[in-house]
Amino acid sequence: MPAAAPEAAPAPPQEAARPVPAARRRAEGFLRADFPWYGLDEAFTGPRWLMQVGTGADGTVEHGSTGHGDEPSVRGELATGEKERFAVVITVASNPLRRSGDGTGVLEATSVSSAAWLAGSGLLAYSWPGQMDHSLRDDWLEQQTEAAWELADDLDGPDWSVLSLPVDGEPTSFHYRESEFGWVLAGSTGAGVHLGAYGRGMSAYGLGFSVIGDLAEYQP
């Protein structure tokens, strides 16, 4: 099964003399990573923003997300009647099977399935089926999250197709699937990371990915 640490925004430094803006805190989390971050390439000219990083038990940054287009909300489409257009790119550090920091166990390796799982669960977090009562959504989300996990563990199954998209200008194969809530894809790069992505209202077929050269492009 793919495993991933829960995403959480890093806490502000305790020694800070004044509150640190949330955008800067997020940037600091991204800057702690020892792998390159990916986003949509220069063909995308819309808004960009930083989301959150996920860390391991020892505080090592393991993955993170960057957003493009409209910032999604859980009930945005139902509440406003307007369809949000967004794409989120997830970068996952490529880690082989390795020992935990205290040497007492083995940590599961990351893989394309890890990226697929993060993308699938990420899309669900911003989805809300029509006619569903608020009290029922938690149960629905739990069931759908388990289904997303199973799908991510079977990338060669019939629910996935193959989509070729440019990564740093090179054609790259991705596992791709669509649902009523949007699309999800996952693949690997030549830069030693796995990529996941999900979106709604923006076609995945015209997207391209590239290393983010300057995080300032993703800050207000």
Side-chain angles (χ1 to χ4, degrees):
M1 289 288 185
E7 295 190 9
Q14 294 183 352
E15 66 275 18
R18 70 182 80 181
V20 179
R24 197 174 115 203
R25 292 203 303 272
R26 287 197 294 270
E28 289 172 351
F30 281 82
L31 291 170
R32 292 203 310 270
D34 60 0
F35 54 87
W37 294 106
Y38 275 79
L40 296 186
D41 62 19
E42 69 278 359
F44 175 78
T45 59
R48 300 170 182 253
W49 72 95
L50 296 178
M51 298 181 74
Q52 294 175 317
V53 298
T55 60
D58 60 356
T60 301
V61 176
E62 296 186 338
H63 60 83
S65 307
T66 56
H68 310 77
D70 301 327
E71 293 199 39
S73 59
V74 175
R75 299 199 72 169
E77 185 175 340
L78 294 180
T80 65
E82 298 179 357
K83 191 169 186 177
E84 296 167 331
R85 300 179 67 255
F86 66 89
V88 173
V89 179
I90 302 168
T91 307
V92 183
S94 180
N95 290 319
L97 201 65
R98 63 207 192 279
R99 289 208 162 272
S100 59
D102 59 8
T104 60
V106 175
L107 303 178
E108 187 171 353
T110 57
S111 65
V112 177
S113 289
S114 306
W117 152 243
L118 287 168
S121 59
L123 178 62
L124 288 172
Y126 294 111
S127 302
W128 195 307
Q131 310 301 317
M132 176 169 285
D133 183 81
H134 183 281
S135 62
L136 299 177
R137 185 174 184 271
D138 286 346
D139 290 338
W140 173 85
L141 188 58
E142 182 177 351
Q143 294 170 356
Q144 294 301 311
T145 299
E146 178 63 27
W149 189 305
E150 293 173 357
L151 285 168
D153 204 32
D154 186 23
L155 293 177
D156 294 323
D159 293 290
W160 297 91
S161 60
V162 177
L163 179 63
S164 179
L165 297 172
V167 176
D168 295 324
E170 295 293 327
T172 303
S173 293
F174 286 88
H175 300 275
Y176 175 79
R177 67 179 177 88
E178 295 181 356
S179 73
E180 60 182 303
F181 306 113
W183 51 263
V184 170
L185 59 80
S188 296
T189 78
V193 298
H194 305 295
L195 289 186
Y198 62 90
R200 187 162 57 230
M202 292 173 58
S203 172
Y205 287 83
L207 300 182
F209 307 95
S210 63
V211 171
I212 298 173
D214 186 359
L215 286 175
E217 298 177 1
Y218 285 79
Q219 295 179 266

